[in-house]
Amino acid sequence: MNLLTELLDLLEKDTPGLELGAFRFDTEKNVIYTKIGNKMYVFTPTEKNAAELFGSVTGIAKHSPGRALVYLKQHATGTPVTE
């Protein structure tokens, strides 16, 4: 959870060079995946259903990927994907 807090703090500032992958929706697991830096993260929605959240996040990402990630973090719990 500390990593997510640190990433949120970074995104609130100007963060040139932040590598953010595309948002992917897994319909079977109802989760959203994205790559932040060199790590893959899975986000599980806390309030909305995953399809609604994915639609909102991808809509925001068209204008600002950083803001989309902040929105996703506000409405979902993220954890690093372990392989």
Side-chain angles (χ1 to χ4, degrees):
M1 194 63 171
N2 288 335
L3 177 61
L4 292 176
T5 305
E6 289 174 2
L7 288 172
L8 181 59
D9 290 340
L10 285 174
L11 288 172
E12 290 178 348
K13 301 173 185 173
D14 186 22
T15 54
L18 175 68
E19 294 180 28
L20 182 63
F23 297 99
R24 293 187 333 219
F25 177 51
D26 185 333
T27 56
E28 291 179 14
K29 296 180 182 177
N30 287 318
V31 295
I32 299 169
Y33 291 95
T34 192
K35 192 171 187 180
I36 303 170
N38 291 326
K39 287 191 168 192
M40 182 65 72
Y41 289 84
V42 60
F43 288 87
T44 306
T46 55
E47 299 167 2
K48 295 183 177 185
N49 72 46
E52 277 183 13
L53 182 58
F54 179 72
S56 297
V57 167
T58 55
I60 296 168
K62 291 176 186 175
H63 305 286
S64 173
R67 287 183 190 229
L69 182 58
V70 170
Y71 182 83
L72 180 60
K73 288 179 182 181
Q74 290 172 342
H75 299 282
T77 303
T79 55
V81 174
T82 55
E83 297 182 36

